[in-house]
Amino acid sequence: MNMAWKEIKKNKGRFLILGSIVFLVSLLTFMISGLANGLSQDNAALIKNLPDGQFYMTKEANEAYNLSSLDNGTQDQILKKHQDAAALSIQMGLLNNHEDNQLSVAFVTSTPSPLFPRPDKGDIILDRSLKDDGIKVGDTLFNNQFSGTFTVKGFVDQSKFNHAPVAYISIEDYKEMYRTDKMQFIFEPGEDSDQAYAGLQSFSKNEFLNTISSYKAEQMSLSMIVWFLVVISGMLFAIFFYMMNVQKMGLYGILKAIGVKTSTLFKMMWTQMLFITVTSLGISIVLSQSFHMIAPKGMPFHLTFETTVQLSIVFLVIGFFGATLSGLQIKKVEPLQAIQQGEM
Amino acid sequence: MTIFTIDEIRKSFTNGEVKEEILKGVNLSLNEGEVTALVGASGSGKSTLLTIAAGLQPASDGQVIFEGKNMTSMSSEQIRRIRANKFGFVFQFAHLVPFLTVEEQLTLMLDVSESKMKKQEQKKEIDKILALVGMEHRKHAYPASLSGGEKQRVAIARAIIHKPKVLFADEPTASLDSKRSKDVMTLIRDLTKSLNLTTLMVTHDEDMLSYADHIIKMSDGQVMIS
């Protein structure tokens, strides 16, 4: 007989309350996680969306990409050896349109690579968020450090850096604007691409992201919030399962007295825990993913299905341990005590 | 025929530095088809004796022999199996599972005793036992909607559905009025005879003694009159 299910059916109210708590806490965690990821994407989607690989910048730059300046000889040597690698430069700057509206952007230029758009001289390719601001293909944009004009040639998705949309320009235009003929760093895709080059320091993608000062500080705070929420949720689950088990100690004692195995009682408790947690997490996933689809465009919210599933697994594991820890009292409960306690 | 023997059972508790002896070497034999009543003042040790005999707590010394086997040397799993298959329990309060219907209470007991009956056979057996205790009309009811007497009848049905050898009843009428107490005692006596059970009952109500075949009076942890 499935006692676990029969109890849920009979005591819908009690299980609904417990389920609501799991649902609300997990939804809150998913939403905060979505906002954290959204801010992270907003800060560094340009780097985060790259495949795994290594970044190389000069040792003298002291882990600050904008202070790095690659020697042309070294750069050519690496790019010749690794044809899929690209040298890049990023500079924060401003663009103006005919109405003299200022747009804060991150100018990016690179050597030929399938990973980065490479507009021709005088052309510019922008992050799609600028299209929502009214910029259209064919528009002319200006920069006070550039003698010519930029013509918008197109838009790309998910290209943000330092909370600003990316503006891809040609190397020639970049050199004119920033009075330099040197690139800042090299990106070499591939999992086994960690190589030693004289005078260069290598960084994995995560290490490189952490060299962006705003990114590191922001992500540390947000990650701490998310993991605090996960830990607090776990404790909440454990407390609620504990309360539910304490209320049922008399029942467990009587069931043990008539010969029900302790393992059967544990299975009953785990089945109920799994049912409540899986149902609540399922609703939370559907709601948070729906919100992801309808979230306002300006809101930095990015929640992948994988992230929600990973967090759900963490919740399930915590719920399981919480329920098991509180259920250890089932082992201790004496049938005799329950019989002498009076009616349940 | 004797199927249950209690031999020199002792039980003591240590309360701080004081050792309190509740049972002081009790001997007892129970026969099939008979109701044995344990009577005595509060604190005489009658309930402790019943719970030791039923395998619900261990004795400090002595033996409990059931069907020729010494229960006091068995593992807790072996005792659990005996409780599930060979013993039936009726307590002072019915102690029914609140989220199961009357019918499900009995199905649960059949499951616990690992009954080999098929579903259809189980249903027939449940109907038969419920008819025996006069509760067939309430088989879909939950405990909350039953009266005290009805609950105790269901508890008796649960205690006998798996055809136990021994029925332990600890103050089965204590929570009932006098009419319902007589009904329940008549039922216990009739079932003991018709199913050839061995019944050990603890009671403090002298009116109930007329339903017993044997009366054992206990005082201060010892059997006074048998």
Side-chain angles (χ1 to χ4, degrees):
Chain A
M1 180 194 290
N2 191 346
M3 277 205 290
W5 180 239
K6 288 197 182 290
E7 188 182 7
I8 292 173
K9 250 173 70 183
K10 185 75 173 71
N11 298 323
K12 289 186 197 87
R14 184 190 292 177
F15 285 94
L16 202 68
I17 291 170
L18 186 56
S20 310
I21 289 157
V22 178
F23 159 69
L24 290 172
V25 169
S26 58
L27 183 65
L28 178 68
T29 311
F30 292 163
M31 298 303 269
I32 298 282
S33 176
L35 289 170
N37 281 333
L39 281 171
S40 155
Q41 281 291 112
D42 207 47
N43 203 346
L46 173 74
I47 306 297
K48 286 187 80 176
N49 294 345
L50 288 174
D52 282 336
Q54 290 295 123
F55 292 81
Y56 297 93
M57 62 173 98
T58 57
K59 282 180 181 163
E60 295 82 45
N62 210 12
E63 300 191 357
Y65 74 91
N66 49 351
L67 297 180
S68 174
S69 181
L70 294 172
D71 173 70
N72 285 336
T74 312
Q75 177 185 318
D76 290 344
Q77 197 185 333
I78 297 171
L79 295 184
K80 208 173 269 178
K81 200 172 163 192
H82 300 281
Q83 305 233 319
D84 52 351
L88 283 124
S89 282
I90 305 172
Q91 290 285 355
M92 302 309 290
L94 295 169
L95 279 172
N96 295 74
N97 61 10
H98 277 300
E99 286 94 45
D100 220 21
N101 291 331
Q102 276 199 335
L103 306 165
S104 178
V105 294
F107 287 106
V108 174
T109 191
S110 77
T111 55
S113 164
L115 297 169
F116 307 101
R118 286 192 77 241
D120 294 333
K121 190 171 171 10
D123 290 341
I124 193 165
I125 295 172
L126 301 168
D127 176 67
R128 196 168 301 280
S129 61
L130 288 172
K131 193 178 180 186
D132 303 326
D133 290 343
I135 309 284
K136 301 184 295 293
V137 171
D139 279 3
T140 305
L141 301 171
F142 312 91
N143 175 277
N144 55 13
Q145 288 168 268
F146 184 51
S147 58
T149 57
F150 291 115
T151 307
V152 178
K153 283 289 165 187
F155 296 95
V156 286
D157 290 317
Q158 295 287 324
S159 243
K160 292 266 189 109
F161 189 81
N162 211 2
H163 296 292
V166 164
Y168 291 97
I169 55 174
S170 68
I171 289 186
E172 294 85 350
D173 294 343
Y174 180 87
K175 283 178 178 172
E176 187 199 323
M177 280 168 73
Y178 294 101
R179 314 275 188 270
T180 178
D181 61 347
K182 289 181 177 174
M183 302 297 270
Q184 290 170 335
F185 59 92
I186 285 174
F187 173 66
E188 199 182 310
E191 281 172 11
D192 53 352
S193 56
D194 190 5
Q195 317 254 345
Y197 298 112
L200 298 186
Q201 190 177 356
S202 79
F203 298 83
S204 67
K205 200 159 85 174
N206 276 339
E207 285 165 349
F208 185 81
L209 285 169
N210 284 328
T211 65
I212 308 168
S213 52
S214 64
Y215 181 88
K216 191 178 177 181
E218 192 178 271
Q219 285 307 301
M220 268 174 72
S221 311
L222 291 166
S223 296
M224 205 171 82
I225 293 171
V226 170
W227 287 109
F228 257 119
L229 265 174
V230 170
V231 170
I232 290 167
S233 317
M235 286 164 75
L236 260 181
F237 289 6
I239 290 166
F240 275 92
F241 281 119
Y242 173 81
M243 298 296 282
M244 206 166 77
N245 278 327
V246 163
Q247 285 177 348
K248 294 201 294 193
M249 280 304 146
L251 171 67
Y252 290 143
I254 296 301
L255 291 172
K256 277 174 114 174
I258 63 170
V260 175
K261 289 182 194 168
T262 306
S263 60
T264 306
L265 299 178
F266 266 94
K267 275 181 210 157
M268 177 180 164
M269 184 189 70
W270 283 327
T271 308
Q272 289 174 341
M273 187 282 296
L274 265 179
F275 175 77
I276 295 168
T277 316
V278 169
T279 310
S280 309
L281 287 174
I283 299 170
S284 284
I285 290 173
V286 170
L287 277 182
S288 55
Q289 287 296 318
S290 308
F291 182 77
H292 189 202
M293 286 190 274
I294 58 159
K297 284 192 173 166
M299 181 188 275
F301 189 88
H302 185 79
L303 185 64
T304 61
F305 185 70
E306 288 77 26
T307 308
T308 47
V309 169
Q310 279 166 3
L311 280 171
S312 299
I313 291 170
V314 173
F315 277 130
L316 268 176
V317 172
I318 289 176
F320 176 79
F321 277 110
T324 307
L325 275 178
S326 63
L328 287 178
Q329 296 156 53
I330 294 175
K331 245 186 134 177
K332 288 186 201 156
V333 70
E334 288 294 334
L336 193 60
Q337 256 181 321
I339 294 163
Q340 288 165 348
Q341 259 172 14
E343 193 64 293
M344 286 176 286
Chain B
M1 194 180 113
T2 301
I3 67 157
F4 208 102
T5 309
I6 289 167
D7 185 19
E8 277 299 306
I9 283 292
R10 290 176 186 276
K11 182 73 182 177
S12 51
F13 296 99
T14 308
N15 193 358
E17 287 181 3
V18 183
K19 193 178 175 189
E20 208 177 331
E21 202 165 23
I22 307 292
L23 297 175
K24 300 168 180 170
V26 176
N27 294 297
L28 193 67
S29 292
L30 304 176
N31 297 327
E32 279 182 326
E34 290 182 358
V35 176
T36 303
L38 279 174
V39 290
S42 181
S44 61
K46 55 188 189 303
S47 284
T48 307
L49 180 63
L50 181 131
T51 51
I52 288 173
L56 291 170
Q57 65 170 321
S60 304
D61 199 11
Q63 291 186 324
V64 176
I65 311 289
F66 171 64
E67 290 185 325
K69 287 173 191 156
N70 183 6
M71 278 176 63
T72 46
S73 60
M74 286 180 184
S75 68
S76 54
E77 174 55 20
Q78 284 172 311
I79 294 173
R80 182 200 67 76
R81 280 191 183 182
I82 290 180
R83 282 209 307 268
N85 296 301
K86 305 283 177 93
F87 292 172
F89 295 93
V90 181
F91 310 111
Q92 182 177 347
F93 299 99
H95 286 306
L96 300 176
V97 180
F99 51 83
L100 297 182
T101 62
V102 167
E103 186 181 26
E104 288 164 350
Q105 308 275 347
L106 306 197
T107 311
L108 168 68
M109 197 59 230
L110 287 173
D111 288 350
V112 170
S113 65
E114 290 163 11
S115 157
K116 301 272 187 292
M117 274 190 245
K118 287 180 184 155
K119 279 217 161 170
Q120 272 315 101
E121 290 172 324
Q122 279 194 3
K123 278 195 177 286
K124 270 188 190 166
E125 188 63 21
I126 288 167
D127 287 345
K128 196 176 104 187
I129 297 291
L130 285 179
L132 209 61
V133 299
M135 285 298 291
E136 70 274 34
H137 62 295
R138 303 299 313 268
K139 74 174 186 181
H140 299 301
Y142 284 97
S145 65
L146 301 176
S147 69
E150 285 178 323
K151 281 182 192 169
Q152 207 60 320
R153 281 169 175 275
V154 177
I156 292 169
R158 182 179 67 180
I160 59 168
I161 184 76
H162 57 302
K163 298 189 171 60
K165 296 267 183 193
V166 187
L167 178 65
F168 293 99
D170 188 5
E171 306 271 12
T173 58
S175 61
L176 305 175
D177 59 34
S178 79
K179 188 194 171 297
R180 284 193 176 119
S181 294
K182 282 176 186 161
D183 290 347
V184 164
M185 278 316 301
T186 307
L187 185 62
I188 288 176
R189 186 190 57 196
D190 293 351
L191 289 170
T192 303
K193 303 294 172 196
S194 60
L195 303 174
N196 203 29
L197 295 171
T198 301
T199 299
L200 180 62
M201 173 183 77
V202 164
T203 184
H204 66 276
D205 186 348
E206 296 208 342
D207 290 346
M208 301 302 128
L209 297 181
S210 59
Y211 298 89
D213 298 296
H214 294 286
I215 298 165
I216 294 167
K217 190 162 184 194
M218 288 190 69
S219 175
D220 196 25
Q222 288 175 309
V223 172
M224 302 309 287
I225 306 162
S226 180

